[in-house]
């Protein structure tokens, strides 16, 4: 049973560029959440996708956008990259609300470095 | 704003010692998870507690959820070097679908 998989594992981008990160949820899960984890801090919630729609959003600017596909996989897009966007980006999958989802399982993360 | 505060932030102990990590909030959480994270990896779920006063054991790890569901603790008995890592608590904010993470406790167990 495959867990949550993310790609790529590492990425280096230049300030001002755009980046797309990808996530495949754990088998059977239909909800995907994205988190940003700066060095030495706990993960911060970016947004959550369920039924191909953004269900909830954290305190992140519109430069951060996402998408969920019919197969439940998801993408996180960040435009106009800033140096401060350098972080570990984590994807978490869970069961939807109608299926009693209370646990989130995380992928290994994508380490984004903006130079 | 719901916050989760963890203490201590850093802990360095000798192999065989016992330790307790605390996760506190002024808010009520419907459930609370504990994760362990290695450098450069994603958090790995250790346990979920949902009932006030609940105690769960995972080998040498004991997790407790406070009666009022506002706090939790993680106790490790006879710590081993393999327990080294960042321990994170996370609660689902009431009325939302997002998990709020604590600040983390970085544990180092010396052989």
């Amino acid at each position: 049973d495959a867990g949550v998989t993310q790609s790529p594992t590492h990425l280096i981008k230049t300030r001002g560029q755009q980046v797309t990160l990808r996530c495949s949820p754990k088998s059977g899960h239909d909800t995907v959440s994205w988190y940003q984890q700066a060095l030495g801090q706990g993960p911060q919630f970016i947004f959550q996708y369920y039924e191909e729609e953004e269900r909830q959003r954290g305190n992140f600017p519109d430069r951060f956008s996402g998408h969920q596909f019919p197969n439940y996989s998801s993408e996180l897009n960040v435009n106009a990259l800033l140096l401060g966007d350098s972080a570990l980006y984590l994807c978490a999958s869970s069961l939807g609300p109608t299926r009693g989802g209370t646990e989130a399982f995380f992928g290994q993360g994508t380490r984004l470095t903006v130079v | 704003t719901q916050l989760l505060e963890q203490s201590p932030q850093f802990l360095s102990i000798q192999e065989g010692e016992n330790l307790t990590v605390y996760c506190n909030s002024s808010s009520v959480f419907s459930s609370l998870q504990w994760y362990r994270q290695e450098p450069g990896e994603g958090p790995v779920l250790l346990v979920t507690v949902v009932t006030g006063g609940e105690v769960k054991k995972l080998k040498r790890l004991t997790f407790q959820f406070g009666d009022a569901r506002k706090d939790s603790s993680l106790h490790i008995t006879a710590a081993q070097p393999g327990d080294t890592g960042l321990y994170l608590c996370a609660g689902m904010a009431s009325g939302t679908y997002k998990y709020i993470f604590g600040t983390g406790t970085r544990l180092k167990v010396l052989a």
Side-chain angles (χ1 to χ4, degrees), chain B residues 53-109:
Chain B
E54 183 177 3
V55 176
K56 279 193 174 178
K57 292 194 175 185
L58 186 67
K59 296 183 182 178
R60 294 177 293 100
L61 279 59
T62 302
F63 304 86
Q64 184 162 10
F65 202 13
D67 290 341
R69 291 185 290 133
K70 293 182 179 182
D71 53 83
S72 180
S73 64
L74 157 61
H75 181 80
I76 300 179
T77 303
Q80 298 178 2
D83 296 326
T84 294
L86 177 67
Y87 288 82
L88 293 160
C89 63
M92 181 169 281
S94 54
T96 77
Y97 299 107
K98 68 179 183 182
Y99 285 95
I100 293 173
F101 277 82
T103 45
T105 295
R106 193 164 296 282
L107 171 67
K108 186 168 187 176
V109 182

Side-chain angles (χ1 to χ4, degrees), chain A residues 33 35 37 40-45 48 55-58 88 90 94 97 101-109 111, chain B residues 31 33 35 37 40-45 47-48 50 56 86 88 92 95-104 106:
Chain A
S33 303
Y35 290 80
Q37 186 176 24
Q41 297 183 19
Q44 299 291 315
F45 176 79
Q48 184 181 86
R55 180 162 67 172
Q56 183 142 25
R57 189 178 185 90
L88 182 68
L90 296 163
S94 56
T102 58
E103 295 181 332
F105 293 84
F106 285 81
Q108 82 281 10
R111 169 68 64 188
Chain B
S31 68
Q33 285 77 40
Y35 293 86
Q37 186 177 24
E41 305 274 330
V44 175
L45 180 65
V47 78
T48 297
V50 295
K56 279 193 174 178
L86 177 67
L88 293 160
M92 181 169 281
T96 77
Y97 299 107
K98 68 179 183 182
Y99 285 95
I100 293 173
F101 277 82
T103 45
R106 193 164 296 282

Side-chain angles (χ1 to χ4, degrees), chain A residues 14 59 61 81:
Chain A
T14 303
N59 238 2
L81 285 166

